[in-house]
Amino acid sequence: MEDVLEPEKKRTRGLGTATKFTSSHPRAPAITTVPQAQGQTTAPKVPKKTGPRCSTAVVTVLKNQKPGPAVPAQKPGTAAPPKLGGKKPSKRPAWDLKGQLCDLNAELKCCRERTQTLDQENQQLRVQLREAQQQATALGAERRTLEGELTRVRAQAEQLEERLGTQEGLVQELQKEQLELQEERRELATRLEEQERRLQASEAALSGSQAEVASLRQEAAAQAALLAERGERLHGLEMERRRLHNQLQELKGNIRVFCRVRPVLPGEPTPPPGFLLFPSGPGGPSDPPTHLSLFRSDERRGTLSGVPAPPTRHDFSFDRVFPPGSGQDEVFEEIAMLVQSALDGYPVCIFAYGQTGSGKTFTMEGGPGGDPQVEGLIPRALRHLFSVAQELSGQGWTYSFVASYVEIYNETVRDLLAPGTRKGQGGECEIRRAGPGSEELTVTNARYIPVSCEKEVEALLHLARQNRAVARTAQNERSSRSHSVFQLQISGEHAGRGLQCGAPLNLVDLAGSERLDPGLALGPGERERLRETQAINSSLSTLGLVIMALSNKESHVPYRNSKLTYLLQNSLGGSAKMLMFVNISPLEENVSESLNSLRFASKVNQCVIGTAQANRK
Ligand code: ADP
Ligand code: MG
C-alpha cells in the first residue's frame, strides 16, 4: 500500500512546487519571452488556477515518461527568457508603433497558439487524471480486497498459530511419550534378553529332556514288553492257580463237613467233665482237631450189680472240628479258600446244620451287637471276595456281585430283603427258571441287590434281621423253623482275553434239626408245630438224600423233593463245592439232638470219596 500511496505524495509535492512556480509567473515579462518559449514550458499568462493542473500534468508526464507534445520538461520557476530567432530582439524605438504593434500581434498570436497548446495539454491531462483516478479507485478496491485478504490471512495465521501451539503441545506430549516408550523399550529389550537367555537354557534342558524321554520311552517300551510277557505269565499262573486250587479243593473233598461246638453260655448248666472230648489227630496237639468224642450216660441201662452203666462213647471224625473256644476268624480261615472257588467259577454251598440254639446263626451271620470279633461267615466271606476281586482287577478281571436273601418256611419261600411296607408280610415267592431252556433259577418277587462293599452287605443283613424279627412276633420263633438262604451271584469277566466266569455262593442257615417230642399231647398249636417239623425233617432228609445221590453218581437226584434242594440244585453236585457245619450244643441235656446231628453229618461226610473216614462208634 505504501507504494500505492507514494505517487499521491509525490503529486502533492509536485503541486507545491507548481504553486511556487505559478506565483512567480507575474513577475516574468510576458511579451519578451513568448517568441523564445516555442516548444518550451512557460508559466506567464496561465491563469492561477490552471497552474497546478499544468504543473501536475507536467509532473505526471514526467512520471509517466510521456513527454507532452508542446511542453517540454523544464524545471519550474526557471523559465528561460523568450528568444526570437536565437537573437535577442532589439527594443523598438518608441516611435516604432507599427513595429511594436506587429510585435504585439506576433506575441498575441504566439500566446493564442500557446493557449491552444495548453488547452490540448489540459485535455490530455484531464484524461490522464481520469485514468489516474480510475486507477486510484481500482487500486483502492484492490487495497480493500487485499486488506480483507490480509485480515483473513491474519485470522488464518492466528488459527495456524493456535494450531501450531496445540501441535507443539502434542509434539511435546508425543516426545514425552516417545521417551517413555524408549524407556519401556529398553526395559523390554532387557527382559527379552533375559527371556532369550532363559529360553536358550530351557532349550538346552529340553533337548536334554527329549533325549532322556526318548531313552525312557525305549525303556518303557521294553518294560511294556516285559510287562506284557509277565502279564501273560501271570495269567498263566492265575489259571494254573485256579486249576490247582480246584484240585486241592477236590482232594479235600467236594463235600466237606466241619463240626463246631458252641461254648456254654452264661446261665447254662455246666456239662459234666469229659462229656465232649476233642482227641488230637495223628500229628499230636499241634494238628487241628478232626475228632470229637461224645459220652452219653444212659440211666435206663443198668448193670446187674445195680451200678450205673458207664457212659457210651460216640466218636466222630470230620474234616475239621472246632471246639467251643474257636473264634469266628479261625472258622473263616478254614473256609476262605473254599469261598474263593466261587470267584474261580465253582458254585459253593455252605450249610449250617444243627438243632435250635446250637450256634448256626452265630456261625453264619455272627453274634449280637455288631462286634467285628463275632462277625459271621457271610460278612467275612463277602469282604474276602471283594478284596480278592480287587486284586484280580490288576490282572484284568472285573467282578460284579448280586445278593439275595430268602427264607423257606413250611415249603414256602419268602424274601428277607423285602423293604418298607412289605417287611414281614411274607409275600410268597416262587422258584422259577430264569428263562425258557435256562438252567439258572430265580425267585420271583425276591429282590436281587448288587453289592460292592461291606457296608451294603451289612445293610442287607440288618434288613433280613428286621424282617425275621417282624415275622417272629407273628409266628413264634419262626426263624429257627425255617431255612435262610443267602445267595450271592458272582460274575467275572476278563475283557482282554474274552473270558467269563460266574458262580453262585450260597450260605444257608438251616432250620433247627430237632425232632418233636413224641410224648407231647397234640393240641392245635402242637399240630401246627408237627407240620412244621415234618416239613423241616422232610427237607433236611431230602438234602441228605440229594447229597448221597450226587456222591453215588445216581442218575436221579431228588432235588424237587424240597424247595431248599430245588433252589440250590445248581450249587450242588458237578464241580460244586459243599461244606456243612454241624453245630453242636455243649449241653448234656441236648445230647440226643447232638447225636442225631452228628450222625446226619457223618452220613454226609461218608459221601465224600477220598476224604471219607469211618466213624467209629
Ligand atoms: P441257632 O441259630 O442254631 O438257633 P444261635 O446262633 O442263635 O443258634 O445261638 C444261640 C445262642 O448261642 C446265641 O445267643 C448265640 O449268641 C450263642 N452262640 C452260639 N455260638 C456261639 C459261639 N461260638 N460263641 C459264643 N456264643 C455263641
Ligand atoms: Mg438260628
Side-chain angles (χ1 to χ4, degrees):
M1 286 306 282
E2 287 297 316
D3 292 341
V4 178
L5 289 169
E6 205 53 34
E8 286 287 330
K9 285 182 189 171
K10 284 178 183 170
R11 274 199 296 271
T12 310
R13 279 198 295 271
L15 189 65
T17 314
T19 308
K20 253 189 210 168
F21 168 78
T22 311
S23 64
S24 62
H25 183 259
R27 278 184 276 167
I31 297 166
T32 53
T33 57
V34 168
Q36 294 171 345
Q38 208 166 19
Q40 293 177 1
T41 304
T42 48
K45 299 278 175 150
V46 177
K48 198 176 180 180
K49 63 178 177 183
T50 57
R53 280 189 208 167
C54 174
S55 302
T56 307
V58 172
V59 173
T60 307
V61 169
L62 282 173
K63 278 276 166 194
N64 292 340
Q65 302 279 309
K66 282 184 193 170
V71 186
Q74 192 178 351
K75 208 177 171 183
T78 55
K83 288 180 184 170
L84 291 172
K87 222 195 237 178
K88 200 176 173 179
S90 56
K91 203 175 171 181
R92 292 184 188 268
W95 52 270
D96 194 6
L97 289 170
K98 201 179 173 179
Q100 283 178 4
L101 185 64
C102 196
D103 287 347
L104 282 170
N105 277 337
E107 196 177 342
L108 184 63
K109 192 182 167 199
C110 188
C111 280
R112 275 182 185 147
E113 281 170 8
R114 177 109 180 119
T115 306
Q116 209 175 349
T117 309
L118 284 171
D119 278 347
Q120 279 175 356
E121 198 180 324
N122 195 20
Q123 284 295 322
Q124 280 178 352
L125 285 171
R126 276 172 199 270
V127 169
Q128 281 175 359
L129 179 65
R130 259 198 310 280
E131 279 174 8
Q133 277 172 342
Q134 278 172 358
Q135 217 172 342
T137 312
L139 285 168
E142 199 180 338
R143 182 184 163 215
R144 275 193 298 281
T145 313
L146 287 170
E147 274 174 352
E149 207 170 324
L150 182 69
T151 316
R152 199 170 49 77
V153 167
R154 274 189 185 142
Q156 223 170 343
E158 271 170 27
Q159 275 182 4
L160 284 171
E161 267 172 19
E162 207 172 300
R163 273 176 61 192
L164 185 67
T166 318
Q167 298 289 344
E168 274 172 357
L170 264 174
V171 166
Q172 277 175 358
E173 270 177 37
L174 285 171
Q175 278 172 343
K176 206 170 131 195
E177 214 170 306
Q178 191 190 8
L179 283 174
E180 283 172 6
L181 285 171
Q182 277 171 349
E183 186 59 31
E184 208 172 315
R185 188 178 155 276
R186 267 197 294 279
E187 271 177 33
L188 283 172
T190 319
R191 275 172 58 192
L192 184 68
E193 266 175 38
E194 177 63 19
Q195 297 288 348
E196 273 173 356
R197 258 202 308 279
R198 276 201 214 159
L199 184 67
Q200 277 171 358
S202 297
E203 275 172 353
L206 181 68
S207 61
S209 298
Q210 276 171 341
E212 208 174 321
V213 165
S215 88
L216 282 173
R217 278 212 179 113
Q218 272 179 354
E219 212 174 305
Q223 295 281 352
L226 202 68
L227 208 63
E229 191 192 310
R230 286 205 178 140
E232 199 63 38
R233 265 177 54 202
L234 198 64
H235 179 71
L237 287 172
E238 168 62 17
M239 298 322 272
E240 181 64 5
R241 182 200 65 74
R242 287 185 181 200
R243 196 183 62 78
L244 290 172
H245 181 83
N246 189 45
Q247 222 170 39
L248 180 70
Q249 297 302 313
E250 275 172 357
L251 281 172
K252 282 188 173 180
N254 274 356
I255 301 174
R256 269 180 273 173
V257 180
F258 288 179
C259 175
R260 185 179 195 187
V261 182
R262 75 158 171 86
V264 177
L265 300 176
E268 286 182 334
T270 313
F275 169 61
L276 281 171
L277 289 178
F278 303 92
S280 332
S286 59
D287 261 7
T290 54
H291 294 80
L292 172 127
S293 300
L294 183 145
F295 292 83
R296 182 184 192 178
S297 51
D298 193 346
E299 277 134 33
R300 287 171 298 180
R301 277 198 321 143
T303 53
L304 288 172
S305 60
V307 181
T312 320
R313 175 178 171 156
H314 300 271
D315 291 323
F316 297 93
S317 174
F318 299 104
D319 292 288
R320 179 75 203 264
V321 173
F322 294 98
S326 311
Q328 299 280 63
D329 49 347
E330 211 178 316
V331 174
F332 180 71
E333 211 174 285
E334 275 297 314
I335 67 147
M337 298 299 272
L338 183 70
V339 166
Q340 204 170 319
S341 289
L343 277 182
D344 298 346
Y346 300 99
V348 174
C349 244
I350 300 176
F351 296 99
Y353 180 96
Q355 72 175 114
T356 301
S358 60
K360 300 183 296 293
T361 306
F362 184 92
T363 301
M364 282 300 172
E365 287 191 20
D371 179 1
Q373 285 287 315
V374 292
E375 245 183 3
L377 297 187
I378 298 177
R380 284 172 195 266
L382 270 87
R383 193 186 312 134
H384 181 69
L385 289 176
F386 293 149
S387 89
V388 176
Q390 181 66 35
E391 278 171 29
L392 286 172
S393 72
Q395 291 179 34
W397 286 93
T398 317
Y399 280 95
S400 64
F401 305 91
V402 179
S404 67
Y405 207 175
V406 297
E407 168 179 83
I408 303 172
Y409 170 73
N410 248 348
E411 290 301 278
T412 55
V413 183
R414 205 171 66 95
D415 187 14
L416 284 176
L417 300 180
T421 51
R422 280 175 59 208
K423 257 185 208 165
Q425 295 284 304
E428 252 185 59
C429 305
E430 287 299 325
I431 304 163
R432 296 264 161 80
R433 297 220 166 262
S438 166
E439 286 291 303
E440 206 183 318
L441 293 170
T442 178
V443 179
T444 59
N445 286 334
R447 285 171 84 204
Y448 286 82
I449 303 170
V451 285
S452 56
C453 66
E454 285 172 68
K455 282 249 170 328
E456 289 169 355
V457 177
E458 267 170 35
L460 294 190
L461 294 180
H462 180 72
L463 183 60
R465 268 195 291 274
Q466 278 186 329
N467 269 317
R468 280 207 211 95
V470 175
R472 191 176 296 145
T473 53
Q475 303 200 344
N476 185 34
E477 272 302 327
R478 199 174 87 177
S479 68
S480 64
R481 315 297 299 154
S482 62
H483 311 298
S484 299
V485 184
F486 180 90
Q487 282 193 313
L488 185 76
Q489 187 59 48
I490 302 168
S491 312
E493 192 186 7
H494 194 300
R497 296 176 189 275
L499 296 174
Q500 279 181 338
C501 65
L505 167 69
N506 303 277
L507 297 152
V508 189
D509 183 352
L510 292 167
S513 60
E514 64 274 9
R515 279 123 219 267
L516 206 62
D517 191 342
L520 277 178
L522 290 179
E526 280 73 26
R527 265 201 290 276
E528 173 65 22
R529 193 74 194 265
L530 184 65
R531 241 200 337 273
E532 267 183 16
T533 311
Q534 281 166 348
I536 294 164
N537 290 342
S538 161
S539 66
L540 288 177
S541 59
T542 302
L543 178 64
L545 288 172
V546 164
I547 294 167
M548 260 178 243
L550 284 169
S551 75
N552 294 338
K553 301 208 177 355
E554 285 172 21
S555 58
H556 175 70
V557 182
Y559 292 118
R560 286 181 172 270
N561 286 5
S562 82
K563 287 273 162 68
L564 178 71
T565 49
Y566 185 56
L567 177 64
L568 297 176
Q569 62 181 287
N570 291 330
S571 305
L572 298 168
S575 61
K577 318 273 176 259
M578 197 198 93
L579 173 73
M580 184 174 281
F581 276 95
V582 56
N583 288 93
I584 299 293
S585 159
L587 306 181
E588 197 179 20
E589 65 190 57
N590 297 131
V591 67
S592 178
E593 289 303 333
S594 296
L595 270 174
N596 278 336
S597 297
L598 288 165
R599 281 177 186 141
F600 177 84
S602 289
K603 268 192 205 157
V604 172
N605 209 21
Q606 280 168 11
C607 293
V608 186
I609 301 158
T611 55
Q613 287 176 26
N615 281 326
R616 281 170 285 143
K617 273 194 182 174

